[in-house]
Amino acid sequence: MPVIQVQNLKKYYKVHQKEPGLSGSIRSLFSRKYYDAKAVDGVSFDIGEGELVGFIGPNGAGKTTTLKVLSGLLYPTSGTVSVLGFTPWDRKPEFQKQFSLVMGQKNQLWWDLPAMESFILNKEIYEVPDAQFKQTLDELVELLEVKDFLKVQVRKLSLGQRMKMELIAALIHSPRILFLDEPTIGLDVVMQKKMRDFIKEYNQRFNSTIILTSHYMDDVKELCERVIIIDKGRLLFDGALAEIIKKFANHKLLTAVFSEEVNREDLEKIGQVKEFDYPRAVISVKRTVASQAAAQLLQNFPVADLNIEEPQIEDIIREVFTGKDLA
Amino acid sequence: MRRYFRLLYFLAKNNLAREFEFRSYLVIRWLTDLIWVALQLILIVVFFSFSPQILGWNRYEIFMFTGLFRVIKGVFDTFARRNIHYLPENINRGDLDYALTRPVNSLFLMSFRYHALGETSSVVSGFIIFIWAFSQLGSGIGLIQIVSLLVLIITGVIILYCLVLGFAILSFFTTRLTALSSYYEVLSNTLRFPTDIYHRYHPLLDVILLPLVFAVTFPTKIFLNRLPAAFLFLQILAAAITLFLVYRFWHFALRHYSSASS
């Protein structure tokens, strides 16, 4: 039984168009032309309990809008959504007590007070019993290694420490569903890694369902077995990360190391030369002819070493989003 | 209800801790308020040096009015003003997300999240002026009067809160509402004096000012027995209806909340 069900979700915004210049501004005072900006345009998916799903897409793809509909912040234009059996935008307290929305760019902690005060306030807001509060807090503090910072004012914490505190504040009521919108944004690589480890551990330990959006492919690669790709409000892909390669990559990469100098133009006959830096070259060839191309390369060039590889997921996704030919 | 009082207590605790971080600001706020009170009182004394009665109010009644005005405005300023002041900005920047995802009434959280303790100076000075002026009138005070005074203050605060909030909610539709602070300034300057002074000019003005009479003028008059006791119920009814309407308006407006992109 899925905990999140989304069917044909659409969210359109009315946006008014303005002609450039002063005359355009004056005209827009009296009559405005509106058009529908399709933030989300017919998206459907189900998510089961305990799944950790990555939501990826370029800026403005509709990821955050989808999360906001799922957490009840926005009313959709059409479509049905059920989260834990609730319709999110009814904003029932029983529903709100079971999820948490963390946005990397927004904070909910009291800036001038130690984070502990915000946790206590959240305990009241979510009506968490004393014993459960203490246990959850101890567990989270230990997992995130922030024991020494609980009594330090939030404004004096580093960005990484603050993000950890934000997570504790968001998790103090032990939500069953967690929406993480770019939780690692702005963090250094070490802190990003720690955050990822925590998210993974949290998901496994508490079997909570997590939807994560991120611009960092490392987040998605390391955490999510399943990814949903959205672009221009539409769902491009929903499945295992490895499946992305099968579906979108119709090319492979031949990496060759040569024992003698070769001519770049000659290599172009085999495929598209992506990198050429003697003695190494990377050539992109169509999937279907990869083995023939490899044989050709071995036959006609002084090859010392040859590798046939799948392209990087980052590259595939970037190419999907830029609408390039994937050859 | 109990839960919300408890929440208010925890919010007040956090706010107290935060404001004590800035002690000097508190002292300055109290001092400037003291000067402001003094000027206001001098103004009243000057007015009444020309005539013992103005529009049926004597000097001590106007002092009481001023005291009550300061108490009502002070309570509003302490608990809600800052939050409502930032409401348009919060709507514009999508910061309402915070309140809308919590299992607590969103209007409560958006109205009473941050307090401004410096404004309590107005409540304290208002009470002192009110009690002093009342004692000068020489009438005694009983339990019923104390209870009705409390009711009058609460309903006055509710009316003021609704008048400001109702305007601020417009920002759901306009996205920007820079007029809010000047609106509040005009509103509080109008409320500083009994609405009687506007009655003689144009009937239309009476209609426009009708909601305003419930903020301070009626409460003072009811307490002074210058209006029949039944007006206490009218006052309660007016506060309840206004609160209900603004609450409905809030929920209607929430449907227009578009958050902000990340």
Side-chain angles (χ1 to χ4, degrees), chain A residues 64 68 73-75 91 93 96-97 103 105-106 108 110 112-113 117 124-127 153 155, chain B residues 3 6 10 14-15 18 21 93-95 97 100 102-104 113 254-255 257-260 262:
Chain A
T64 307
K68 284 182 175 174
L73 287 172
L74 299 177
Y75 294 82
R91 301 194 188 120
Q96 290 170 320
K97 281 182 186 176
M103 297 199 229
Q105 285 150 315
K106 286 195 177 151
Q108 60 153 313
W110 286 58
D112 295 307
L113 297 180
E117 304 291 342
E124 289 303 319
I125 288 176
Y126 285 97
E127 297 180 285
Q153 287 163 334
R155 67 181 143 99
Chain B
R3 182 173 171 226
R6 206 179 141 87
F10 276 94
N14 275 9
N15 277 293
R18 192 183 50 130
E21 288 276 313
R93 292 166 40 145
D95 286 341
D97 295 1
L100 291 180
R102 315 276 134 172
V104 177
R113 195 172 169 202
L254 275 186
R255 292 193 71 100
Y257 177 58
S258 57
S259 191
S262 58

Side-chain angles (χ1 to χ4, degrees), chain B residues 4 32 49 56 78 123 136 209-210 234:
Chain B
Y4 282 90
T32 49
S49 66
T78 304
V123 182
Q136 296 299 309
L209 294 176
L210 180 70
L234 181 67

